[in-house]
Amino acid sequence: MIEEVLDGGAVPTLLGACSRAGLLVVGRRTQRMPMPLGPSVLAFLHHSCCPVGVVPRK
């Protein structure tokens, strides 16, 4: 496993890093209305170059 610390916003940093990944796993809050997914998760789903797993928080 390779660990790396990067500066920057979460969305652009993770989208850049996912170009070297096989899977991007992100969490999401539950009971978010009216949008069940937040803007960051939507950005990952629409712009990621690898599969994205969205895991709800209990």
Side-chain angles (χ1 to χ4, degrees):
M1 180 168 67
I2 299 171
E3 294 183 25
E4 186 176 358
V5 177
L6 302 171
D7 286 329
V11 173
T13 301
L14 285 171
L15 286 175
C18 78
S19 65
R20 304 181 306 270
L23 175 67
L24 175 63
V25 179
V26 295
R28 75 165 180 91
R29 296 181 184 146
T30 55
Q31 297 187 16
R32 191 178 171 121
M33 292 296 174
M35 284 179 46
L37 299 176
S40 296
V41 173
L42 290 174
F44 297 137
L45 290 172
H46 289 285
H47 301 290
S48 176
C49 56
C50 68
V52 178
V54 181
V55 180
R57 188 171 120 184
K58 288 188 175 188

